[in-house]
Structure formats: structure tokens, C-alpha cells
Coordinates of all heavy atoms in Angstrom, one line a residue:
N725 N -8.0 7.5 3.2 CA -9.3 7.5 2.5 C -9.8 6.0 2.4 O -9.0 5.1 2.4 CB -9.2 8.1 1.1 CG -8.4 7.4 0.1 OD1 -7.2 7.4 0.1 ND2 -9.0 6.8 -0.9
Y726 N -11.0 5.8 2.4 CA -11.7 4.5 2.4 C -12.8 4.4 1.3 O -13.5 5.4 0.8 CB -12.5 4.5 3.8 CG -11.6 4.6 5.1 CD1 -11.3 5.7 5.6 CD2 -11.0 3.4 5.5 CE1 -10.4 5.8 6.7 CE2 -10.1 3.4 6.7 CZ -9.9 4.6 7.2 OH -9.0 4.6 8.3
A727 N -13.0 3.2 1.0 CA -14.2 2.8 0.1 C -15.4 3.2 0.8 O -15.6 3.0 2.2 CB -14.2 1.4 -0.2
D728 N -16.4 3.6 0.2 CA -17.8 4.0 0.9 C -18.3 2.9 1.7 O -18.8 3.1 2.7 CB -18.9 4.5 -0.1 CG -18.4 5.8 -0.7 OD1 -17.6 6.6 0.0 OD2 -19.0 6.2 -1.8
S729 N -18.2 1.6 1.1 CA -18.7 0.4 1.8 C -18.2 0.2 3.1 O -18.7 -0.6 3.9 CB -18.6 -0.7 0.9 OG -17.2 -1.0 0.6
V730 N -17.0 0.7 3.5 CA -16.3 0.3 4.8 C -16.1 1.6 5.7 O -15.7 1.4 6.8 CB -14.9 -0.3 4.5 CG1 -15.1 -1.5 3.6 CG2 -13.9 0.7 4.1
K731 N -16.5 2.7 5.2 CA -16.4 3.9 6.1 C -17.1 3.7 7.3 O -18.2 3.3 7.4 CB -16.9 5.2 5.3 CG -16.0 5.7 4.3 CD -16.5 6.9 3.6 CE -15.7 7.4 2.4 NZ -16.3 8.6 1.7
G732 N -16.4 4.3 8.5 CA -17.0 4.1 9.7 C -16.9 2.7 10.4 O -17.2 2.5 11.6
R733 N -16.4 1.7 9.6 CA -16.3 0.4 10.2 C -14.9 0.0 10.3 O -14.4 -0.8 11.1 CB -17.1 -0.7 9.3 CG -18.6 -0.4 9.4 CD -19.4 -1.5 8.6 NE -19.0 -1.7 7.3 CZ -18.6 -2.9 6.7 NH1 -18.3 -3.9 7.5 NH2 -18.2 -3.0 5.5
F734 N -14.1 0.3 9.2 CA -12.7 -0.1 9.0 C -11.7 1.1 9.4 O -12.1 2.3 9.0 CB -12.4 -0.6 7.7 CG -13.0 -1.9 7.3 CD1 -13.9 -2.4 8.1 CD2 -12.6 -2.5 6.0 CE1 -14.6 -3.6 7.7 CE2 -13.2 -3.8 5.7 CZ -14.2 -4.3 6.5
T735 N -10.6 0.8 9.9 CA -9.5 1.8 10.2 C -8.2 1.4 9.8 O -7.9 0.3 10.1 CB -9.5 2.2 11.7 OG1 -10.9 2.6 12.1 CG2 -8.6 3.3 11.9
I736 N -7.6 2.1 8.9 CA -6.2 1.8 8.4 C -5.1 2.7 9.2 O -5.5 3.8 9.6 CB -6.1 2.1 6.9 CG1 -4.7 1.4 6.4 CG2 -6.2 3.6 6.6 CD1 -4.5 1.6 5.0
S737 N -4.1 2.0 9.6 CA -3.0 2.7 10.2 C -1.7 2.1 9.9 O -1.6 1.1 9.2 CB -3.2 2.6 11.8 OG -3.2 1.2 12.3
R738 N -0.7 2.9 10.2 CA 0.7 2.4 9.8 C 1.7 2.8 10.9 O 1.5 3.8 11.6 CB 1.1 3.0 8.5 CG 1.3 4.5 8.4 CD 1.5 5.0 7.0 NE 2.8 4.7 6.5 CZ 3.0 4.9 5.1 NH1 2.1 5.4 4.2 NH2 4.3 4.6 4.6
D739 N 2.8 2.0 11.0 CA 3.9 2.3 11.9 C 5.2 2.2 11.1 O 5.6 1.1 10.7 CB 3.9 1.2 13.0 CG 4.9 1.5 14.0 OD1 6.0 2.1 13.7 OD2 4.8 1.2 15.2
N740 N 5.6 3.2 10.5 CA 6.8 3.3 9.6 C 8.1 2.7 10.3 O 8.8 1.9 9.7 CB 7.1 4.6 9.1 CG 6.1 5.2 8.2 OD1 5.1 4.4 7.6 ND2 6.0 6.5 8.0
A741 N 8.2 3.0 11.5 CA 9.4 2.5 12.3 C 9.4 1.0 12.3 O 10.5 0.4 12.2 CB 9.5 3.1 13.6
K742 N 8.3 0.4 12.5 CA 8.2 -1.1 12.6 C 7.9 -1.7 11.3 O 7.7 -2.9 11.2 CB 7.1 -1.5 13.7 CG 7.4 -1.1 15.1 CD 6.3 -1.5 16.0 CE 6.8 -1.2 17.5 NZ 5.7 -1.5 18.4
K743 N 7.7 -0.9 10.3 CA 7.4 -1.4 8.9 C 6.2 -2.3 8.8 O 6.1 -3.3 8.5 CB 8.6 -2.1 8.3 CG 9.9 -1.1 8.2 CD 10.9 -1.8 7.5 CE 11.7 -2.9 8.2 NZ 12.8 -3.4 7.5
M744 N 5.0 -1.7 9.5 CA 3.7 -2.4 9.6 C 2.7 -1.6 9.2 O 2.7 -0.3 9.4 CB 3.6 -2.9 11.1 CG 4.6 -3.8 11.6 SD 4.5 -5.5 10.9 CE 2.8 -6.0 11.6
V745 N 1.6 -2.2 8.6 CA 0.4 -1.5 8.3 C -0.7 -2.4 8.8 O -0.6 -3.6 8.8 CB 0.3 -1.3 6.7 CG1 -1.0 -0.7 6.4 CG2 1.5 -0.6 6.2
F746 N -1.8 -1.8 9.3 CA -2.8 -2.5 10.0 C -4.2 -2.1 9.3 O -4.4 -1.0 8.8 CB -2.9 -2.3 11.4 CG -1.5 -2.5 12.1 CD1 -0.7 -1.5 12.4 CD2 -1.2 -3.8 12.5 CE1 0.6 -1.7 13.0 CE2 0.1 -4.0 13.1 CZ 0.9 -3.0 13.4
L747 N -5.2 -3.0 9.3 CA -6.5 -2.7 9.0 C -7.4 -3.3 10.1 O -7.5 -4.5 10.2 CB -6.9 -3.2 7.6 CG -8.4 -3.0 7.2 CD1 -8.3 -1.5 6.8 CD2 -8.6 -3.7 5.9
Q748 N -7.9 -2.5 10.9 CA -8.9 -2.8 11.9 C -10.3 -2.9 11.3 O -10.8 -1.9 10.8 CB -8.9 -1.8 13.1 CG -10.0 -2.2 14.1 CD -9.6 -3.5 14.9 OE1 -8.5 -3.9 15.2 NE2 -10.7 -4.3 15.1
M749 N -10.9 -4.0 11.3 CA -12.2 -4.2 10.7 C -13.3 -4.6 11.8 O -13.1 -5.6 12.4 CB -12.1 -5.4 9.6 CG -11.1 -5.1 8.6 SD -11.1 -6.4 7.2 CE -10.7 -7.8 8.3
N750 N -14.2 -3.6 12.0 CA -15.3 -3.9 12.9 C -16.6 -4.1 12.2 O -16.8 -3.6 11.0 CB -15.4 -2.7 13.8 CG -14.2 -2.5 14.7 OD1 -13.5 -3.6 15.0 ND2 -13.8 -1.4 15.1
S751 N -17.5 -4.6 12.9 CA -19.0 -4.7 12.3 C -19.0 -5.3 11.0 O -19.6 -4.9 9.9 CB -19.7 -3.3 12.2 OG -19.8 -2.6 13.5
L752 N -18.2 -6.5 10.9 CA -18.0 -7.2 9.6 C -19.3 -7.7 9.1 O -20.2 -8.1 9.8 CB -17.0 -8.3 9.8 CG -15.6 -7.7 9.8 CD1 -14.6 -8.8 10.4 CD2 -15.1 -7.4 8.3
K753 N -19.4 -7.7 7.8 CA -20.7 -8.2 7.1 C -20.2 -9.3 6.2 O -19.2 -9.4 5.6 CB -21.3 -7.0 6.3 CG -21.6 -5.8 7.0 CD -22.1 -4.7 6.1 CE -22.4 -3.4 6.9 NZ -22.8 -2.4 6.1
P754 N -21.2 -10.2 5.8 CA -20.9 -11.2 4.8 C -20.3 -10.7 3.5 O -19.4 -11.4 2.9 CB -22.2 -11.9 4.5 CG -22.9 -11.6 5.8 CD -22.6 -10.3 6.3
E755 N -20.7 -9.5 3.1 CA -20.2 -8.9 1.9 C -18.8 -8.5 2.0 O -18.1 -8.1 0.9 CB -21.0 -7.8 1.4 CG -21.4 -6.8 2.3 CD -22.8 -6.9 3.0 OE1 -23.1 -8.1 3.4 OE2 -23.4 -6.0 3.2
D756 N -18.2 -8.5 3.1 CA -16.7 -8.2 3.4 C -15.9 -9.4 3.0 O -14.7 -9.3 3.1 CB -16.5 -7.7 4.9 CG -17.0 -6.4 5.1 OD1 -17.1 -5.5 4.2 OD2 -17.7 -6.2 6.2
T757 N -16.5 -10.7 2.8 CA -15.7 -11.8 2.5 C -15.0 -11.6 1.3 O -15.5 -11.3 0.2 CB -16.6 -12.9 2.4 OG1 -17.3 -13.2 3.6 CG2 -15.9 -14.3 2.0
A758 N -13.6 -11.9 1.4 CA -12.7 -11.7 0.3 C -11.3 -12.0 0.6 O -11.0 -12.3 1.8 CB -12.7 -10.2 -0.3
V759 N -10.4 -12.0 -0.3 CA -8.9 -12.1 0.1 C -8.5 -10.7 0.0 O -8.8 -9.9 -0.9 CB -8.2 -12.9 -1.1 CG1 -6.7 -12.9 -0.8 CG2 -8.7 -14.3 -1.1
Y760 N -7.8 -10.3 1.1 CA -7.3 -9.0 1.3 C -5.8 -8.9 1.0 O -5.0 -9.8 1.5 CB -7.7 -8.6 2.8 CG -9.1 -8.2 3.1 CD1 -10.2 -9.2 2.9 CD2 -9.5 -6.9 3.2 CE1 -11.4 -8.9 3.2 CE2 -10.9 -6.6 3.4 CZ -11.8 -7.5 3.4 OH -13.2 -7.3 3.5
Y761 N -5.4 -7.9 0.3 CA -4.1 -7.7 -0.1 C -3.6 -6.4 0.4 O -4.2 -5.3 0.4 CB -4.0 -7.7 -1.6 CG -4.4 -9.0 -2.3 CD1 -5.8 -9.1 -2.7 CD2 -3.5 -9.9 -2.5 CE1 -6.1 -10.4 -3.3 CE2 -3.9 -11.1 -3.2 CZ -5.2 -11.3 -3.5 OH -5.6 -12.5 -4.2
C762 N -2.3 -6.5 0.9 CA -1.6 -5.3 1.2 C -0.8 -4.7 0.0 O -0.3 -5.6 -0.8 CB -0.6 -5.6 2.4 SG 0.3 -4.2 3.0
N763 N -0.6 -3.4 -0.2 CA -0.1 -2.9 -1.3 C 0.8 -1.7 -0.8 O 0.4 -0.9 0.1 CB -1.2 -2.3 -2.3 CG -0.6 -1.3 -3.3 OD1 -0.6 -0.3 -3.2 ND2 -0.3 -2.1 -4.5
R764 N 2.0 -1.5 -1.5 CA 2.8 -0.4 -1.3 C 2.9 0.3 -2.7 O 3.4 -0.3 -3.6 CB 4.3 -0.9 -0.7 CG 5.1 0.3 -0.3 CD 6.6 -0.1 -0.1 NE 7.3 -0.3 -1.4 CZ 8.7 -0.4 -1.4 NH1 9.3 -0.5 -0.3 NH2 9.2 -0.5 -2.6
N765 N 2.7 1.6 -2.7 CA 2.7 2.3 -3.9 C 3.5 3.5 -3.9 O 3.6 4.2 -2.9 CB 1.3 2.8 -4.2 CG 1.1 3.7 -5.5 OD1 1.1 4.9 -5.4 ND2 1.2 3.1 -6.6
F766 N 4.3 3.7 -4.9 CA 5.1 5.0 -5.2 C 5.0 5.2 -6.7 O 5.6 4.4 -7.4 CB 6.4 4.9 -4.7 CG 7.3 6.1 -5.0 CD1 7.0 7.3 -4.3 CD2 8.3 6.0 -5.9 CE1 7.7 8.4 -4.4 CE2 9.0 7.3 -6.0 CZ 8.8 8.4 -5.4
G767 N 4.1 6.2 -7.1 CA 3.9 6.5 -8.5 C 3.4 5.3 -9.2 O 2.4 4.8 -8.9
S768 N 4.1 4.8 -10.2 CA 3.6 3.7 -11.0 C 4.2 2.3 -10.5 O 3.8 1.2 -11.0 CB 4.0 3.8 -12.5 OG 5.4 3.8 -12.6
N769 N 4.8 2.3 -9.4 CA 5.4 1.2 -8.8 C 4.5 0.6 -7.7 O 4.2 1.3 -6.6 CB 6.7 1.5 -8.3 CG 7.5 0.3 -7.7 OD1 7.4 0.0 -6.5 ND2 8.2 -0.4 -8.6
D770 N 4.2 -0.7 -7.9 CA 3.2 -1.3 -6.9 C 3.9 -2.6 -6.4 O 4.4 -3.4 -7.2 CB 1.8 -1.6 -7.4 CG 1.0 -0.4 -7.6 OD1 0.6 0.1 -6.5 OD2 0.7 0.1 -8.6
I771 N 3.8 -2.8 -5.2 CA 4.3 -4.1 -4.6 C 3.1 -4.7 -3.8 O 2.4 -4.0 -3.1 CB 5.4 -3.9 -3.5 CG1 6.6 -3.2 -4.1 CG2 5.8 -5.3 -2.9 CD1 7.3 -4.1 -5.2

């Protein structure tokens, strides 16, 4: 699932075997400027 502001432009994917997560960002806009953080969640536990 995606934020409405990035739908159709961003794509998230994961490779569990390689322990990697990716975010492909296309058609970037100035309002996409930010610090981007990766998160792992299980219930109330966040990394």
C-alpha cells in the first residue's frame, strides 16, 4: 500500500532471501524532498 501522493510513481519491493527492501521512485517532484527511512514492523515492535 502507498500514500496517495506517491501512487503510480513509487514502487516498493522486497527480497527476503537477500534481506533487502527497495523503493523505486519515478517522476520525482520537489515535494518528495525528505529524509527517507526504512522500517521493519512486527506488531508494536519497530526497527
